Amino acid sequence: MLGWPAEDGRTGDAGGNTVTNSGPGPGILAPYLETTHGDYAARYTAGLRVEAADAGVVVLYGRCPRCGCAFTYTHTDRVFRSPRRGPRPAHVPVLCACETGHPGRPAEETGCGAYWNVVVERG
């Protein structure tokens, strides 16, 4: 029987087998916990879809690497319009923004509490 994944994304069973990149089993919700891990960005980007919504705005469609829930994340890299200075990578902080009711989540929050950074290269 698999248990809830550790923060490093690994889950073990009684036979010593290990499963990686797994979410909770059916009907099991990850408790709310503000946390990050070194492999969250890689796991998130593995199935990520990116769309440019407008100049300076990207919309990320993916699944949280901690809880496995799907969510949409919109990022803008500037508040005021300024002249473009050519292509540049954007370091985007991403927070799980799923609507799932994770146990222990404060009423004013969304998601499971996981966060990570990704780099979006703009042309």
Side-chain angles (χ1 to χ4, degrees):
M1 177 176 143
L2 296 176
W4 173 246
E7 286 308 308
D8 65 2
R10 292 179 294 129
T11 304
D13 65 14
N17 300 311
T18 300
V19 177
T20 58
N21 200 19
S22 62
I28 300 173
L29 292 177
Y32 182 85
L33 177 66
E34 293 180 6
T35 186
T36 193
H37 191 272
D39 72 343
Y40 280 3
R43 291 170 48 199
Y44 176 68
T45 57
L48 185 65
R49 188 178 61 154
V50 180
E51 291 182 8
D54 192 6
V57 178
V58 293
V59 181
L60 309 175
Y61 301 92
R63 291 193 168 275
C64 175
R66 180 172 179 261
C67 71
C69 298
F71 68 94
T72 302
Y73 194 82
T74 303
H75 173 76
T76 182
D77 66 351
R78 56 187 172 181
V79 177
F80 299 101
R81 299 245 182 231
S82 62
R84 298 213 35 138
R85 297 189 189 347
R88 64 195 182 284
H91 297 269
V92 178
V94 179
L95 297 95
C96 177
C98 74
E99 295 296 326
T100 304
H102 293 280
R105 182 176 72 198
E108 68 278 4
E109 298 291 339
T110 60
C112 70
Y115 59 94
W116 56 94
N117 294 305
V118 295
V119 177
V120 176
E121 294 184 17
R122 300 173 191 260

